[in-house]
Amino acid sequence: MDMLPRSREHLLAAAPRPPGRGTDGEWKWTPCRPIQRVFSGDMTMNRPPFSFAVFSLAWLFACPSLAAPADPIALIKAKYAEIQDVVARKPEPAAMRAGIRTVMDTFVDYQELGRRTLADQWERLDDKRRAEFVDEFKKMIQRTYVKRFNPNKKVEIEYHGQPERQQDGTVLVATTVRSGRSEARVDYLFHRRGNQWWAFDVIIDDVSMVKNYRKQFHDILKREGFDGLMERIRRKNAKAGD
């Protein structure tokens, strides 16, 4: 099944909005189209819309370049070249997904993603629990997006100017991503760690992935605590498998 909407109207209709509680007590999105469930009692999630399904694609489908990643845009292009090599060498789906996950490990900062997602809760966790959360959260993120990688789907990226430094020292790369008749504004946030830029958030038509997950997890943390959240994520990962 094609994961991409057929028009910009479909794209905008699919974009998630801040969730609210439905009449059945479950948290639900309030999108432009009819309300959809995000988490049920067993943490079942809908198939992500185009906006978040391009999480991996949009980082990777830039003009290939083997130049050293001196800035975030160069990093995106260099990682695309690595992904293209994986796809060419490992066409079998499971092997290709494993290869893409390996490349993602070299430029996506899952710890920073997890820290910003948990916000204040992160400071209450010891190092062991932080590591447990990041490990399971990473599996969920990678499974969600890598499985939807389509090497045959042409994606074009238009960069808007140079990376913009934010007040907190992070850097934003503003782009427009096009696939077929679909189009979205896709911005990426990077921070510097050591000698490399690392990606930790993607913002689709003003919807942040970090804030999206933060809102979902906040309610679970409030009702069930950290152990309850971890149990849900572990169960979801175990049920989905590779």
Side-chain angles (χ1 to χ4, degrees):
M1 181 179 293
D2 191 349
M3 69 184 235
L4 297 176
R6 292 167 293 175
S7 66
R8 179 165 177 77
E9 287 71 25
H10 284 77
L11 172 66
L12 294 177
R17 299 294 185 267
R21 190 178 292 280
T23 56
D24 62 356
E26 299 288 351
W27 281 106
K28 302 174 183 294
W29 289 111
T30 308
C32 299
R33 62 189 181 188
I35 290 175
Q36 293 183 326
R37 179 175 299 164
V38 176
F39 285 108
S40 68
D42 63 350
M43 201 176 178
T44 299
M45 298 179 68
N46 287 332
R47 175 176 63 89
F50 167 72
S51 297
F52 288 146
V54 298
F55 169 69
S56 57
L57 294 176
W59 265 322
L60 307 173
F61 276 86
C63 298
S65 171
L66 295 177
D71 61 62
I73 293 177
L75 176 66
I76 294 172
K77 294 177 180 180
K79 294 307 172 182
Y80 168 75
E82 293 182 34
I83 291 291
Q84 288 295 85
D85 180 64
V86 168
V87 172
R89 291 187 297 104
K90 301 178 179 181
E92 194 276 322
M96 183 179 70
R97 291 196 297 268
I100 294 172
R101 286 195 295 266
T102 298
V103 176
M104 290 179 70
D105 286 346
T106 67
F107 74 104
V108 179
D109 190 339
Y110 295 101
Q111 176 153 322
E112 185 68 7
L113 172 59
R115 183 183 74 82
R116 290 174 180 260
T117 297
L118 290 184
D120 292 345
Q121 179 68 27
W122 180 266
E123 302 303 324
R124 303 187 185 103
L125 302 177
D126 59 26
D127 290 345
K128 180 181 178 181
R129 294 192 123 192
R130 289 176 181 177
E132 290 174 353
F133 172 76
V134 170
D135 183 59
E136 292 296 332
F137 190 35
K138 171 183 171 179
K139 291 176 186 177
M140 189 174 76
I141 292 288
Q142 289 188 336
R143 185 191 65 254
T144 299
Y145 300 108
V146 173
K147 273 194 172 182
R148 287 166 176 80
F149 180 83
N150 183 350
N152 299 315
K153 181 67 67 174
K154 183 178 180 181
V155 176
E156 298 177 352
I157 296 182
E158 176 186 356
Y159 295 96
H160 301 299
Q162 296 300 310
E164 301 175 9
R165 186 167 296 277
Q166 308 299 294
Q167 290 184 348
D168 62 357
T170 60
V171 169
L172 181 142
V173 175
T175 76
T176 296
V177 178
R178 299 182 180 90
S179 182
R181 290 179 291 175
S182 299
E183 178 179 303
R185 174 63 181 258
V186 183
D187 298 338
Y188 310 100
L189 280 169
F190 292 81
H191 75 131
R192 190 102 182 176
R193 196 183 77 199
N195 296 322
Q196 182 182 318
W197 291 101
W198 292 83
F200 66 87
D201 195 9
V202 57
I203 304 167
I204 317 298
D205 287 336
D206 297 322
V207 179
S208 161
M209 182 180 68
V210 166
K211 292 180 180 178
N212 180 0
Y213 278 112
R214 183 187 299 158
K215 184 66 177 177
Q216 296 181 42
F217 290 173
H218 175 76
D219 181 60
I220 298 173
L221 287 165
K222 185 177 180 180
R223 291 185 288 107
E224 303 175 26
F226 179 76
D227 289 340
L229 174 63
M230 288 299 299
E231 176 61 27
R232 284 172 176 260
I233 298 177
R234 287 192 183 102
R235 187 166 60 232
K236 178 68 177 177
N237 288 338
K239 182 177 180 181
D242 181 29

